[in-house]
């Protein structure tokens, strides 16, 4: 009889394994995003833990869930899909590792145990990546090509990172436009549309000594958030 870990990656998957994959590969990540109190969302009197990477994380989670759902529903394996699922596993594990110090603190209050979810999610994606690869090997008399798998791995990580980088670029340009007064209304609309990190606007306000720039930053902050920049800085400094 195969050992526990061997059974986790055998084909075909058992009904219990499929339920586990559904819960920790799809349902749990969605719930963690919706119920997230501090990782990507601001909390009372504080800032975000990984606020700068929120868009990257949300895109990565969405694409990974789409890839896993496709494989679970259709059972159509490919080396490209295996690589994409492996990329999802890598991201989930990296996120869990980044969150781990916060998770340890949160576990003192029990809720922190939710911070372990990315590790379970990483296992789910790794298991499905391996199974997709093995299906490809079983149905082909030739060695499975590594190039599509590598491409899938890189693409699932690079696309969200590229979008996040573009948002950083256009957001920083808009923030500079706000400070200079160059097409102020358009710059504010751009910051709103990009959901630019308003704490960054507050910190920029705090650091600058130019009265005109401070006034424009304060106006932009009110237009975007509905609160004054001074109120937000008081919260952040408490």
């Amino acid at each position: 009889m195969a050992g526990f870990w061997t059974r986790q990656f055998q084909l075909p998957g058992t009904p219990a394994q499929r339920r586990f994959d559904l819960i920790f590969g799809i349902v749990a990540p969605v719930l963690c995003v919706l119920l997230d109190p501090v990782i990507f969302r601001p909390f009372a009197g504080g800032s975000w833990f990984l606020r700068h990477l929120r868009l990257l994380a949300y895109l990565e989670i969405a694409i990974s869930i789409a890839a896993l759902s496709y494989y679970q529903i259709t059972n159509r394996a490919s080396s490209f899909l295996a690589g994409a699922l492996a990329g999802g596993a890598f991201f989930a594990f990296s996120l869990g590792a980044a969150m781990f110090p916060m998770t340890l603190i949160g576990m003192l209050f029990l809720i922190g145990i939710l911070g372990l979810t990315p590790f379970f999610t990483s296992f789910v994606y790794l298991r499905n990546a391996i199974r997709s690869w093995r299906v490809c090997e079983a149905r082909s008399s030739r060695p499975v090509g590594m190039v599509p798998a590598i491409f899938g791995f890189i693409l699932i990580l690079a696309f969200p990172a590229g979008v996040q980088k573009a948002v950083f670029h256009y957001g920083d340009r808009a923030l500079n436009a706000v400070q200079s007064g160059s097409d102020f209304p358009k710059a504010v609309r751009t910051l709103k549309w990009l959901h630019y990190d308003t704490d960054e606007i507050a910190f920029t306000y705090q650091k600058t000594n130019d009265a005109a720039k401070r006034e424009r930053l304060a106006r932009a902050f009110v237009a975007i958030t509905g609160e004054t920049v001074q109120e937000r800085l008081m919260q952040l400094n408490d």
Side-chain angles (χ1 to χ4, degrees):
M1 183 177 178
F4 173 79
W5 286 110
T6 301
R7 294 197 305 272
Q8 300 309 305
F9 300 95
Q10 284 181 334
L11 289 168
T14 66
Q17 290 172 349
R18 289 179 66 87
R19 286 193 296 271
F20 185 92
D21 291 355
L22 172 64
I23 292 171
F24 286 100
I26 298 174
V27 177
V30 171
L31 289 178
C32 285
V33 167
L34 294 176
L35 303 177
D36 168 33
V38 297
I39 304 302
F40 298 110
R41 296 184 181 181
F43 57 98
S47 187
W48 305 336
F49 178 48
L50 294 173
R51 66 182 187 273
H52 295 301
L53 302 178
R54 180 173 64 164
L55 179 60
L56 184 155
Y58 287 0
L59 282 175
E60 184 67 45
I61 291 169
I63 296 172
S64 296
I65 287 176
L68 179 63
S69 300
Y70 174 83
Y71 180 58
Q72 289 286 328
I73 293 171
T74 67
N75 287 317
R76 293 180 180 177
S78 69
S79 57
F80 174 84
L81 184 59
L85 291 168
F90 176 82
F91 175 80
F93 184 86
S94 299
L95 179 60
M99 292 167 48
F100 195 65
M102 183 76 75
T103 299
L104 287 178
I105 296 172
M107 287 179 73
L108 298 175
F109 307 97
L110 296 181
I111 192 172
I113 198 167
L114 294 175
L116 299 176
T117 299
F119 294 116
F120 292 104
T121 302
S122 178
F123 170 76
V124 168
Y125 282 94
L126 179 61
R127 169 160 65 192
N128 283 271
I130 291 173
R131 283 179 171 167
S132 179
W133 182 265
R134 288 179 174 174
V135 168
C136 292
E137 287 184 322
R139 73 185 183 192
S140 176
S141 58
R142 295 180 296 179
V144 180
M146 285 293 296
V147 173
I150 294 172
F151 181 68
F153 182 90
I154 293 174
L155 182 63
I156 202 170
L157 297 172
F159 176 73
V163 173
Q164 181 71 81
K165 184 176 180 180
V167 168
F168 284 156
H169 173 72
Y170 288 108
D172 290 344
R173 282 182 56 182
L175 183 58
N176 289 333
V178 164
Q179 294 180 76
S180 67
S182 174
D183 204 348
F184 181 86
K186 180 181 178 181
V188 172
R189 287 196 301 270
T190 299
L191 292 173
K192 276 186 175 181
W193 184 76
L194 293 175
H195 295 280
Y196 191 78
D197 179 6
T198 51
D199 285 353
E200 194 66 32
I201 301 175
F203 291 135
T204 303
Y205 171 91
Q206 189 175 45
K207 288 184 290 186
T208 186
N209 294 317
D210 186 293
K213 288 183 179 180
R214 287 171 67 90
E215 188 272 335
R216 285 189 286 266
L217 287 166
R219 283 168 50 205
F221 193 89
V222 171
I224 295 170
T225 67
E227 65 176 338
T228 67
V229 68
Q230 293 85 358
E231 290 172 337
R232 182 54 181 162
L233 286 171
M234 287 178 62
Q235 294 175 351
L236 293 170
N237 293 325
D238 281 347

